[in-house]
Amino acid sequence: MNQNSNLSDNAKIDLLNVQAAIKGNQKAFEKLFLRYKDAIFYFLLRTINNRTDAEDLTLECFGKAFRNINQYSTKYAFSTWLFRIASNTCIDFIRKKKKNIIKLETKDDANMDLPSFESKTPSPEQQIINKQNAKYMRLKVSQLKDRYRILIELRYFKEYSYEEIAKEMKLPIGTIKAQLFRARKLLFMNIQNDEL
């Protein structure tokens, strides 16, 4: 990661958090998440116009960013990099849903040449950090009430569809979506409380 003196003050603060996050500092991940989760959520919501999908994609976007944090370069502000991940995540989602591809624009140049996020084998150090991050998320999920914990585990750890969760829990899909919405809110609050 190369230093870039053209970064704004906010981008420099982000850079310090990114550098700490690469070294496995959990609080740095939390600060980045808390700083950008609302902006990413509303960006996705404006694009796909579905609250539940936007919430799912917000978590997916941060998951990709944190898994690939060692690929971030100060050639761009962290926020630009994160919004590009959100754009790509959204495009993938739309393609999967077989909807018309729409042109996404971020607050910065939408056509910039950013690094791809092809899966690369992480270094042993990065594997340890990834395990720590997964362990932290599992700890936060384990602190939820059983019904919310099970929903989060099925949806995000086992990657069940809404239909599969509904069948597993013998509940209507509408109920599953509503309870998952509540579970995500509680999880965000749980993470946010660590910050206080």
Side-chain angles (χ1 to χ4, degrees):
M1 199 178 325
N2 56 337
Q3 290 290 343
N4 189 330
S5 57
N6 295 328
L7 294 175
S8 69
D9 289 343
N10 283 340
K12 287 177 183 172
I13 292 168
D14 286 346
L15 176 59
L16 291 174
N17 282 320
V18 168
Q19 289 170 332
I22 286 172
K23 293 174 185 170
N25 182 321
Q26 213 53 65
K27 288 287 183 193
F29 276 108
E30 290 170 37
K31 285 178 185 174
L32 292 166
F33 175 76
L34 293 171
R35 181 169 185 163
Y36 289 109
K37 72 178 173 71
D38 289 340
I40 293 293
F41 169 73
Y42 286 111
F43 167 75
L44 292 166
L45 183 61
R46 278 194 312 271
T47 307
I48 59 175
N49 203 26
N50 181 299
R51 196 168 206 41
T52 303
D53 289 337
E55 287 173 347
D56 281 349
L57 292 176
T58 298
L59 290 177
E60 186 178 330
C61 172
F62 278 97
K64 286 179 184 176
F66 292 157
R67 280 193 304 274
N68 294 286
I69 193 102
N70 59 331
Q71 294 181 33
Y72 167 70
S73 163
T74 59
K75 186 176 177 184
Y76 305 103
F78 176 76
S79 59
T80 303
W81 185 74
L82 188 60
F83 273 90
R84 172 52 63 175
I85 293 172
S87 292
N88 290 339
T89 301
C90 196
I91 288 169
D92 289 345
F93 172 79
I94 291 167
R95 282 183 181 144
K96 283 178 190 169
K97 289 283 189 178
K98 296 180 180 175
K99 292 181 179 175
N100 292 331
I101 303 302
I102 59 171
K103 186 177 179 202
L104 298 172
E105 289 186 12
T106 61
K107 58 184 178 177
D108 296 297
D109 181 10
N111 297 316
M112 71 183 91
D113 183 25
L114 286 174
S116 66
F117 301 103
E118 301 292 322
S119 64
K120 296 178 182 175
T121 305
S123 66
E125 180 186 62
Q126 193 61 42
Q127 287 177 357
I128 291 168
I129 290 168
N130 291 347
K131 282 180 187 172
Q132 287 173 341
N133 294 337
K135 192 174 178 183
Y136 172 78
M137 284 306 293
R138 286 188 182 276
L139 172 67
K140 290 287 137 195
V141 170
S142 73
Q143 293 169 351
L144 297 172
K145 288 183 180 177
D146 280 349
R147 74 172 179 264
Y148 296 130
R149 176 186 55 75
I150 291 165
L151 283 167
I152 293 282
E153 285 174 352
L154 290 174
R155 180 72 177 155
Y156 298 107
F157 297 156
K158 295 187 177 179
E159 299 183 0
Y160 278 32
S161 68
Y162 290 118
E163 292 78 10
E164 289 170 326
I165 297 171
K167 188 175 179 182
E168 176 90 11
M169 299 189 76
K170 298 180 175 72
L171 290 170
I173 289 179
T175 304
I176 294 297
K177 287 184 176 182
Q179 289 188 1
L180 257 171
F181 176 80
R182 178 74 179 138
R184 281 190 297 266
K185 292 282 183 211
L186 291 169
L187 182 59
F188 283 161
M189 286 168 48
N190 206 353
I191 292 169
Q192 203 157 7
N193 286 339
D194 275 2
E195 185 69 11
L196 303 175

